[in-house]
């Protein structure tokens, strides 16, 4: 019904937001048509540090080390508000990391 269509539209917008924003912050993102993206923070910011800091803020993502993908994180889409909050948090974490690295 309408709820499903609305949810799918919201997921598509959130996915586009993540796919556009994360690479601008220096993260590699695997293209996705699902309701999540796979991101690799790279050397600048460790995946584990991002995972722990987001968890501390109440934002739950998945560390994929146990799935044979160390250094990768799975970020699910949510509402546009949730996705915006996630991007703001990752931006702040990346900013701190870049500042401390020089």
């Amino acid at each position: 019904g309408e709820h499903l269509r609305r949810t799918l539209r919201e997921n598509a917008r959130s996915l586009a937001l993540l796919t556009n924003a994360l690479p601008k912050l220096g993260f590699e993102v695997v293209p996705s048509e699902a309701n999540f993206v796979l991101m690799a923070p790279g050397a600048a910011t460790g995946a584990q540090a991002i995972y722990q800091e987001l968890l501390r803020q109440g934002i739950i993502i998945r560390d994929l080390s146990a799935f044979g993908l160390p250094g990768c994180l799975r970020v699910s889409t949510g509402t546009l508000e949730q996705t915006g909050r996630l991007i703001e948090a990752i931006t702040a974490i990346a900013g701190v990391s870049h500042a401390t690295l020089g």
Side-chain angles (χ1 to χ4, degrees), residues 10-61:
E10 184 110 0
N11 275 344
R13 288 190 196 110
S14 290
L15 187 66
L17 200 56
L18 288 169
T19 303
N20 289 325
L22 293 174
K24 291 176 184 168
L25 297 171
F27 302 107
E28 184 179 339
V29 175
V30 177
S32 174
E33 292 184 17
N35 67 333
F36 62 88
V37 296
L38 183 73
M39 65 177 261
T45 308
Q48 197 55 232
I50 291 174
Y51 173 76
Q52 293 296 334
E53 179 56 25
L54 290 176
L55 203 57
R56 194 185 66 73
Q57 295 181 37
I59 299 172
I60 300 169
I61 63 172

Side-chain angles (χ1 to χ4, degrees), residues 48 62-72:
Q48 197 55 232
R62 180 169 285 178
D63 175 5
L64 296 177
S65 299
F67 296 90
L69 295 168
C72 293

Side-chain angles (χ1 to χ4, degrees), residues 71-93:
C72 293
L73 300 168
R74 175 184 156 152
V75 181
S76 295
T77 60
T79 64
L80 290 173
E81 181 183 346
Q82 291 167 334
T83 301
R85 183 170 162 236
L86 170 72
I87 290 169
E88 284 177 18
I90 291 176
T91 300
I93 294 166

